[in-house]
C-alpha cells in the first residue's frame, strides 16, 4: 500500500461527567485522530494518549510531534500494518503514537480488502459483554447512585476506581447495596505501595474479580510479592507495555490477569500477541479502555471478541462518555455491544459532528 498523505486531527470531546482516578480528573477528552490516505482507501487511528503524562509518559502534543517528526518519515514507500511495526521498531517507546499510526494503516488496508477488524483479528463471537469503569466520587451516596444507573443500563460488571482513603468503604457500600452476585473489581492506577498490603488485603472479604494495577508501573517484583499477601487476583494495566512485559509478569507471578489496551502496548497486532501468550498460559485477559470515541471503540470491541477475552471489558456504550459521539453511537443491548461487521473499523466519523469538535487539522503529504 502506498500512503499519499496523513491527516492529524485534534478533537475536543466534553465528557458527560468528570472522570476522577487516582492520577487526576478528566472533564473533556483531547483526542488526536490519525487519518491515513492511500490512492484507493483511507483509514483511521485514534491515539489514546491523554492531555497530560499522568497515566503514562505519553501525552497528546508529544504524540503528534513524534508522529510528524519521526514515525511518518520512518515508514517505507510501500507498507502494510505489519510493516509499520517493523519500520518503527528502532524508535523507542511512544507506543500510543505508534498504535495510532498502525491502526490507521490497518484500517485503510482492511477497508480496501473488504475485511472487518473482527475477522482479521480472529473474533470468535458477534457481541461482547460490557463492563463500566466508575470514577472516584465525592461521597458514597453519589457513588451508589452512579452504580445503580449503570446496572439499570445493563452493564454486567462494575469497576470502581480506588485510591488510599477511597477503597474498602466504597467497595463495602456497593456490595451491601447491590449484593454478592454482581461482578465487581477495582482499579488503583498505581496509587499504592507494598507497605499498603494489609489495607489491600482487607478487600479480600468482598469477592472481587481482581484488583487492577495496585502498585507502580515498574513494580513487577513488588506485584509478585503482593500476590502472595492478598487473595484477590492481581491484574496489570500500566505495567504491561509489550508481549515481553506480559511474559515477564506471568513468569514472575506478578499477575494472573491482564488488561489489554491496544494503545498502551503499541497496537492491535501486539494486543493479539499478548492475547495468544496469555491464552497459552491460562492467564485471563480483558479489553481495557481509554475513554475512546466510536473509532477507537469499534476496534476495541472487535478485539474483545477474541476467544481469550474471558472477562467483560471497559468497552462501555458511547453515552457513558459522550453526549454526541463522532460515529454512530455504540449502544448496549442486553449488556452487550455488537462487534462491527463492515470493512475495517466498520464505522465512520459523522462529517458534521467531526467538524464541530475539531480544534485543528494538519495535512502531511508523503512522497
Ligand atoms: O486505568 O483503566 C484505566 C481511563 C483512562 C485512563 C486509564 C484508565 C481508564 C479507565 C476507563 O478505567 C476505561 C474506559 O471506560 O474507557
Ligand atoms: Mg486501569
Amino acid at each position: 500500500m502506498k500512503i499519499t498523505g496523513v491527516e492529524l486531527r485534534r478533537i475536543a470531546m466534553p465528557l458527560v461527567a468528570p472522570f476522577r482516578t487516582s492520577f487526576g480528573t478528566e472533564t473533556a477528552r483531547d483526542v488526536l485522530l490519525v487519518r491515513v490516505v492511500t490512492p484507493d482507501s483511507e483509514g483511521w487511528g485514534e491515539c489514546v494518549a491523554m492531555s497530560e503524562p499522568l497515566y503514562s509518559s505519553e501525552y497528546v502534543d508529544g504524540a503528534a510531534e513524534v508522529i510528524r517528526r519521526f514515525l511518518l518519515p520512518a515508514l517505507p514507500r510501500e507498507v502494510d500494518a505489519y510493516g509499520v511495526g517493523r519500520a518503527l521498531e528502532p524508535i523507542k517507546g511512544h507506543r500510543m503514537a505508534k498504535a495510532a499510526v498502525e491502526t490507521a494503516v490497518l484500517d485503510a488496508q482492511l477497508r480496501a480488502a473488504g475485511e472487518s477488524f473482527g475477522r482479521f483479528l480472529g473474533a470468535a463471537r458477534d457481541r461482547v459483554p460490557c463492563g463500566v469503569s466508575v470514577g472516584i466520587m465525592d461521597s458514597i451516596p453519589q457513588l451508589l447512585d452512579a452504580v445503580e444507573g449503570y446496572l439499570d443500563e445493563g452493564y454486567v460488571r462494575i469497576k470502581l476506581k480506588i485510591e488510599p482513603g477511597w477503597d474498602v468503604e466504597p467497595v463495602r457500600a456497593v456490595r451491601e447495596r447491590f449484593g454478592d452476585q454482581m461482578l465487581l473489581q477495582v482499579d488503583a492506577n498505581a496509587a499504592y505501595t507494598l507497605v499498603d498490603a494489609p489495607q489491600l488485603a482487607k478487600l479480600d472479604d468482598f469477592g472481587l474479580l481482581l484488583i487492577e494495577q495496585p502498585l507502580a508501573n515498574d513494580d513487577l517484583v513488588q506485584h509478585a510479592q503482593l500476590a502472595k499477601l492478598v487473595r484477590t487476583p492481581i491484574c496489570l494495566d500500566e505495567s504491561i507495555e509489550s508481549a515481553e512485559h506480559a511474559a515477564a509478569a506471568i513468569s514472575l507471578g506478578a499477575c494472573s490477569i491482564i488488561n489489554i489496551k491496544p494503545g498502551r502496548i503499541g497496537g492491535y497486532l501486539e494486543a493479539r500477541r499478548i492475547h495468544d501468550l496469555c491464552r497459552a498460559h491460562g492467564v485471563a485477559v480483558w479489553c481495557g479502555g481509554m475513554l475512546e470515541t466510536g473509532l477507537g471503540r469499534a476496534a476495541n470491541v472487535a478485539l474483545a471478541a477474541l476467544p481469550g477475552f474471558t472477562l467483560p471489558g471497559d468497552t462501555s456504550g458511547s453515552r457513558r462518555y459522550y453526549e454526541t459521539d463522532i460515529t454512530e453511537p455504540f449502544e448496549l443491548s442486553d449488556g452487550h455491544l455488537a462487534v462491527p461487521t463492515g470493512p475495517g473499523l466498520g464505522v465512520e466519523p459523522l462529517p458534521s459532528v467531526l467538524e464541530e469538535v475539531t480544534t485543528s487539522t494538519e495535512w502531511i503529504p508523503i512522497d
Side-chain angles (χ1 to χ4, degrees):
M1 227 170 44
K2 166 86 187 82
I3 299 173
T4 49
V6 174
E7 180 188 76
L8 301 184
R9 181 182 287 258
R10 288 282 280 273
I11 63 174
M13 300 282 289
L15 289 164
V16 291
F19 182 62
R20 179 170 158 207
T21 65
S22 62
F23 63 80
T25 303
E26 238 43 57
T27 55
R29 195 74 174 85
D30 172 14
V31 183
L32 171 67
L33 298 177
V34 176
R35 181 170 65 97
V36 159
V37 178
T38 76
D40 44 24
S41 182
E42 64 172 41
W44 293 91
E46 175 170 342
C47 182
V48 302
M50 306 184 89
S51 327
E52 298 172 292
L54 300 177
Y55 164 79
S56 75
S57 63
E58 291 188 77
Y59 61 103
V60 192
D61 290 334
E65 169 69 2
V66 79
I67 289 172
R68 76 168 73 83
R69 181 154 168 211
F70 296 107
L71 304 189
L72 298 181
L75 295 180
R77 285 191 69 78
E78 290 280 330
V79 72
D80 67 1
Y82 292 100
V84 172
R86 279 194 301 274
L88 302 185
E89 172 84 45
I91 299 164
K92 303 288 185 275
H94 297 285
R95 291 181 162 94
M96 293 175 179
K98 290 177 178 177
V101 172
E102 184 189 274
T103 303
V105 170
L106 180 56
D107 185 33
Q109 170 186 333
L110 293 177
R111 284 184 202 261
E115 186 178 46
S116 70
F117 256 67
R119 172 177 279 272
F120 171 81
L121 291 172
R125 50 211 152 147
D126 57 12
R127 56 176 210 155
V128 300
C130 298
V132 59
S133 176
V134 186
I136 295 166
M137 305 269 165
D138 292 335
S139 71
I140 300 273
Q142 208 185 331
L143 174 70
L144 295 177
D145 284 351
V147 170
E148 179 168 40
Y150 291 131
L151 292 174
D152 288 347
E153 285 183 56
Y155 286 100
V156 303
R157 184 228 68 193
I158 298 290
K159 161 169 136 181
L160 302 182
K161 289 293 193 178
I162 60 167
E163 66 181 3
W166 181 266
D167 44 34
V168 175
E169 287 322 309
V171 168
R172 184 196 312 282
V174 166
R175 270 290 183 235
E176 277 175 3
R177 169 80 171 270
F178 302 104
D180 293 337
Q181 292 307 304
M182 123 193 207
L183 302 182
L184 183 63
Q185 63 193 51
V186 294
D187 184 0
N189 287 110
Y192 296 85
T193 68
L194 197 51
V195 299
D196 299 311
Q199 177 69 10
L200 295 171
K202 293 183 191 160
L203 294 169
D204 286 348
D205 293 342
F206 300 101
L208 301 178
L209 284 170
L210 58 90
I211 175 168
E212 181 178 347
Q213 197 71 40
L215 312 179
N217 186 317
D218 48 7
D219 276 359
L220 270 196
V221 171
Q222 290 87 334
H223 276 104
Q225 289 170 325
L226 180 65
K228 299 199 176 87
L229 302 172
V230 301
R231 285 200 315 274
T232 308
I234 292 186
C235 169
L236 291 176
D237 173 354
E238 285 91 327
S239 290
I240 308 297
E241 295 188 354
S242 64
E244 288 76 14
H245 290 179
I250 294 168
S251 56
L252 268 172
C255 65
S256 52
I257 300 171
I258 290 179
N259 164 340
I260 300 186
K261 279 183 191 167
R264 192 192 67 221
I265 57 180
Y268 290 84
L269 300 176
E270 188 75 353
R272 187 169 58 185
R273 285 179 205 115
I274 295 181
H275 162 272
D276 295 350
L277 172 84
C278 289
R279 205 161 173 233
H281 286 83
V283 168
V285 302
W286 54 281
C287 184
M290 292 291 287
L291 315 174
E292 286 90 346
T293 73
L295 287 175
R297 192 159 313 284
N300 284 352
V301 169
L303 178 70
L306 267 63
F309 284 76
T310 52
L311 291 166
D314 284 344
T315 48
S316 307
S318 294
R319 59 189 266 209
R320 180 259 171 270
Y321 312 93
Y322 307 111
E323 189 117 330
T324 311
D325 206 336
I326 57 168
T327 62
E328 286 298 330
F330 278 82
E331 284 172 359
L332 250 63
S333 164
D334 187 26
H336 290 68
L337 286 182
V339 179
T341 54
L345 295 173
V347 298
E348 307 276 353
L350 302 166
S352 61
V353 181
L354 191 61
E355 276 318 312
E356 218 165 281
V357 297
T358 295
T359 54
S360 70
T361 59
E362 177 181 349
W363 173 253
I364 303 169
I366 310 240
D367 43 43

